[in-house]
Structure formats: C-alpha cells, structure tokens
Amino acid sequence: MQYNDSKGLYNDAMEIAIPNDLLLSSYDFVLPSNLIATQPIMPKEHAKLLVYHNGEIIHSTFKDLFTYIPKDYLIVLNDTKVIHARLFANKLSVESFMLTKSIQDSISPTAREIFYHKALDGNMHLVQIRGKAKLYDIFALQWNAENIFIQIFNIRENGYKEVAFFKLYDLSLLNKTLEHSHNVIYLSQEQMFAMLQTCGKIPLPPYMKRESTQQDLIHYQSIFAKHSGSVAAPTASLHFSESMFAFLQQHYNHAFVTLHVGAGTFQPVTSINILHHTIHTESCIIAKAQAQKILQAQKILCIGTTAMRSVEWLIDKAPQTQEDFIVGNNDIFLHPYNPPKKVKALLTNFHLPKSSLLMLVSSLIGRDATLQIYKEAIQHNYRFYSYGDGMLII
C-alpha cells in the first residue's frame, strides 16, 4: 500500500519514504492542448519571455531579452545542427531481385520511415525503422541517381537497429551476406550527412502532429548552427534572429559547445523514483579554447538545456585529454538532488510534464518555484515546447 503525506510517498511493504523532489508524480501538471506550439512566432522577437529573477516573475518579450542580462555574463550556446533524420526507403526482396535483376521490380511499393540517430563504430549507424524489420533485411533508396542500400546487422533490445549504408560495385552480386563483401562501398559520414540533407526530412517533434514544410527547414534550425548531428533542435536557440545574435556577439563574451541532441531528449521518465531513471546519452564536443572560457567564467548564462548539460558535463564528467577538443558521451542528469555546480542562469523553453528537462530546470531554482512559474505561464497563455515561448532564469 502507498499513501501520500507532506514529506513524500511511503511504501508500507518497503517502509521507505521517497521525498517529493524525487517523486515522478511531483513533476506533473495539466497543460491545455491549445498551448502546444506547432508553428513559430514571427518575427522571433515577438515571442513571449517570462523572466524569473530573485523570486519574482516579470512578463516580457524576446526583443527585451538583453535588458535582463548583465554584461559580465559569459553566454554559452550550442552550435549543433539538425540533420534531416527522417529517411524513406523501400524494402527490397533479394529473392525477387535474383530472379528479375531489377531493383524497381523487387522493392515494396510502400516506403518505410527510417529515423537516423547517429554513427557507430565500424561503418554502422543507429536507426529506428517504422514497422516490422528483421535481421539482414535490406532497404533501398535513390541518391544522386545511384542505388543506396541499408541493411540491418543487429537489433538491440530496445528495438533500435544497427545498419550499414552502402553502394555496390556490381549490382548483380547483391545478396544478404554483404557485411564483409568486397562488393560493398560504405558511405562515409560526410556522404551520410549529404544524403540525409538531400533525401531526408527535418525531424519535427512527434507532438507537433504534422509533416515538416519548407519553412521548417529554416525555422527548426538556429542561425548559428554549424556542426551536423542533432535529430532535434536545441530549442532556446531558435529564438535568436540575425540582429539579436549580432548584438550578443558584439556586447557579450560568449562560448560555443556542441551537444548533438538525440531522440532520447523526448524519452519519458517512467520510474516512480526519478533516481532510478537512466538518462539518455548524447555526443558532446567542446574545443579546449571554449572550455577554458567556461572554466574561468564567474557568471554563466546557458542558452538552452543542452548548453547547460554541456557545461555541467565539462565541470563534472568530461574526460581529460591533451587533444584540441574534449569529446565524450554526455549522460549527466540534473535534478534537485543533483544541482548544477557552475551554471546559475538559463534561457529555456517550457517543457513536457514529468520530463527530465523539467527536472533540470528544477535543479536550478527548485521544484516548487518551477511549478509555480509553469502555473503562471499557463494562466498567461504562454506557448509550450519547441516553437513556443521562453523563460529566462537569472
């Protein structure tokens, strides 16, 4: 039997009390569906901005952002670039091809979605494939008037597939045992990104419940995006127009980090005790010169939760290296029981109930203050999620 009181949730069988700050249910709230933004506000400066400063809430807009940020802050931005991660390919029947020698006559008429995640070791890539797919299945698509093949070489417990993308020297030798064949030309990472850019679609978050458009190619990408690798945008960055970013560069010391946002950012927390949640990992790259700026800064404002996770990873978990870049897998989970050590200010959007990102915000200002801010944001019709409004904690 479980019951609530002011201190948390108790389990009679275990006789263990879980503090409210560790209870998943303590991070829930009701969000009206009409407040979920599916289109960006234009011009960007017209988006609402909730400012939380010294326990007080101020309602403003993004055009006034810099009036709230003192000049002695180092502003840290994530310069990752969203890739066109949604690919569509047709399943190939090798048996049919061996009879017909025609790719066109051997593929399923219905294209299947292959959601690209990231590169792995040894020419392998991690993807999700919509619908049933088994080991050694092959899919085909056309890129630059050439046949590109995608074959499954491993299926993980979570259903994710490890696949190779390749071309063939001799198409007539196509078969299901190609992994170590001399007939195979694997696509390089550079070719992979070029192919995704041409053949893929921008991966809008699933809660938008719509297909991406040509406008999303522009709007679902920060204007300072540089290094390809994300399958979701670092959304606080989307608020910056060219003029606002130029002002930031001219008037503030700033640093860039690169955290490639993975689909795990949308992964729900399901553990009753949030400490039992396994946070997703994301590739993080920080140039030594940028890291030095961050380490020396007394006051840091992070543009988005990904920048904040990168800074805290640098402080707490980044590997030591003599190289020019610090590279590793960022698995830091910030919450009230693991607060940030360096970051004290954050620009961010409004996040999902029970999400690890809501817990990250709570790590900075506490869960009670966070939920009070969200309550007021809902009352004032702030727009939530990727294309929504934002808040500045400073």
Side-chain angles (χ1 to χ4, degrees), residues 81-101:
K81 189 173 185 178
V82 180
I83 59 176
H84 297 185
R86 295 182 66 219
L87 270 179
F88 293 86
N90 300 76
K91 190 174 179 181
L92 174 71
S93 167
V94 175
E95 293 80 6
S96 175
F97 177 78
M98 292 176 75
L99 291 173
T100 65
K101 298 301 178 183

Side-chain angles (χ1 to χ4, degrees), residues 146-147 149 166-174 178 181-186:
E146 290 188 283
N147 290 304
F149 300 99
F166 56 87
K167 298 182 285 186
L168 296 175
Y169 286 109
D170 185 349
L171 195 59
S172 68
L173 299 178
L174 174 65
L178 293 166
S181 169
H182 295 298
N183 191 35
V184 168
I185 312 165
Y186 291 107

Side-chain angles (χ1 to χ4, degrees), residues 35-83:
L35 296 184
I36 298 174
T38 60
Q39 301 287 346
I41 287 287
M42 300 303 292
K44 294 182 178 185
E45 290 89 342
H46 287 188
K48 292 181 181 179
L49 178 67
L50 186 152
V51 181
Y52 182 75
H53 178 64
N54 290 336
E56 299 293 326
I57 293 174
I58 303 165
H59 297 288
S60 185
T61 58
F62 265 86
K63 68 180 175 61
D64 294 324
L65 171 67
F66 295 114
T67 64
Y68 300 104
I69 305 174
K71 291 295 197 303
D72 58 348
Y73 271 82
L74 173 73
I75 298 181
V76 179
L77 309 102
N78 182 8
D79 62 5
T80 187
K81 189 173 185 178
V82 180
I83 59 176

Side-chain angles (χ1 to χ4, degrees), residues 1-5 7-19 23 272-273 276:
M1 177 181 174
Q2 293 179 335
Y3 59 95
N4 283 294
D5 74 359
K7 295 182 180 178
L9 181 79
Y10 287 80
N11 185 308
D12 280 351
M14 300 174 66
E15 295 184 353
I16 294 175
I18 304 175
L23 269 176
I272 292 174
N273 183 333
H276 298 158

Side-chain angles (χ1 to χ4, degrees), residues 20 42 58 69 105 113 117 161 163 204 209 214 240 251 275 277 282 304 332 365:
N20 277 331
M42 300 303 292
I58 303 165
I69 305 174
D105 293 336
E113 181 178 338
H117 284 269
K161 314 294 193 294
V163 305
L204 289 183
K209 297 180 180 178
Q214 284 297 114
F240 285 88
H251 295 89
L275 293 183
H277 175 64
E282 294 167 318
I332 197 160
I365 56 174

Side-chain angles (χ1 to χ4, degrees), residues 126-182:
L126 190 66
V127 304
Q128 288 173 285
I129 300 176
R130 190 179 294 277
K132 290 183 179 178
K134 61 185 185 297
L135 204 60
Y136 303 117
D137 277 354
I138 299 176
F139 297 81
L141 58 82
Q142 281 267 314
W143 174 52
N144 286 350
E146 290 188 283
N147 290 304
I148 303 296
F149 300 99
I150 305 148
Q151 186 168 23
I152 301 171
F153 287 106
N154 187 38
I155 300 176
R156 296 187 175 184
E157 287 184 6
N158 60 7
Y160 284 44
K161 314 294 193 294
E162 295 180 17
V163 305
F165 290 78
F166 56 87
K167 298 182 285 186
L168 296 175
Y169 286 109
D170 185 349
L171 195 59
S172 68
L173 299 178
L174 174 65
N175 60 66
K176 286 198 172 184
T177 56
L178 293 166
E179 187 173 9
H180 302 296
S181 169
H182 295 298

